[in-house]
Amino acid sequence: MYYIKQVILYSGENTVSTVELSPDLNIIYGESNTGKTLVADSIDYLFGAKKHRFAAKLKIKKVALVLDVDGKQVTMSREIDSTKINVSSTADVIDSDEYNIGKGKKSINSVWLKLMGIDSDVKILMTIT
């Protein structure tokens, strides 16, 4: 089992912002324009979104997630406008490497599938009508 332990944003002004999460239910709340959506957008970006939705005025340079995988740590980081995600892992099921956005064995999708206990060789058939 895994959970997202931290969401980390690195800005252009050498500011590091961190949100700590627990393995239990996490509720992110607050007043308007305080960063709630920024947390969700950061997670989406590391899930493999093709484009980020960060405002230019925030000057975000890099986004990172720290995962707890059965007590071991997996860190994922992605530079803004990059198609590569760097993964550093002490968990047996995840290899430390650089992964691509999109398809293939070196796709970040394969990492997320492994974390969910799904073999990355699974094929999903689609019918086009």
Side-chain angles (χ1 to χ4, degrees):
M1 180 165 137
Y2 78 94
Y3 75 95
I4 299 172
K5 191 174 180 178
Q6 293 179 322
V7 179
I8 308 166
L9 296 170
Y10 299 86
S11 80
E13 298 176 7
N14 296 322
T15 303
V16 179
S17 301
T18 304
V19 175
E20 303 280 338
L21 302 171
S22 74
D24 302 313
L25 176 66
N26 293 275
I27 299 173
I28 299 174
Y29 67 96
E31 294 181 23
S32 233
N33 206 27
T34 58
K36 299 178 299 294
T37 302
L38 187 60
V39 173
D41 287 347
S42 298
I43 294 169
D44 182 54
Y45 194 57
L46 281 160
F47 269 32
K50 292 188 191 266
K51 295 183 180 184
H52 67 82
R53 294 186 297 253
F54 309 124
K57 69 180 180 179
L58 297 175
K59 299 179 184 172
I60 295 173
K61 286 185 170 181
K62 181 169 73 170
V63 180
L65 291 180
V66 177
L67 309 175
D68 182 296
V69 181
D70 297 323
K72 298 194 177 177
Q73 185 167 303
V74 174
T75 303
M76 299 179 171
S77 64
R78 183 176 176 190
E79 303 282 335
I80 297 305
D81 296 326
S82 173
T83 60
K84 307 284 184 189
I85 296 177
N86 291 306
V87 176
S88 174
S89 174
T90 60
D92 297 334
V93 295
I94 304 299
D95 294 329
S96 295
D97 208 338
E98 185 176 77
Y99 292 85
N100 298 310
I101 303 305
K103 299 177 183 178
K105 290 236 184 228
K106 286 292 182 188
S107 167
I108 196 63
N109 296 341
S110 66
V111 173
W112 289 111
L113 287 171
K114 282 182 187 177
L115 286 169
M116 291 185 280
I118 300 171
D119 184 6
S120 63
D121 291 333
V122 170
K123 304 275 189 248
I124 299 173
L125 300 177
M126 185 171 65
T127 303
I128 300 174
T129 57

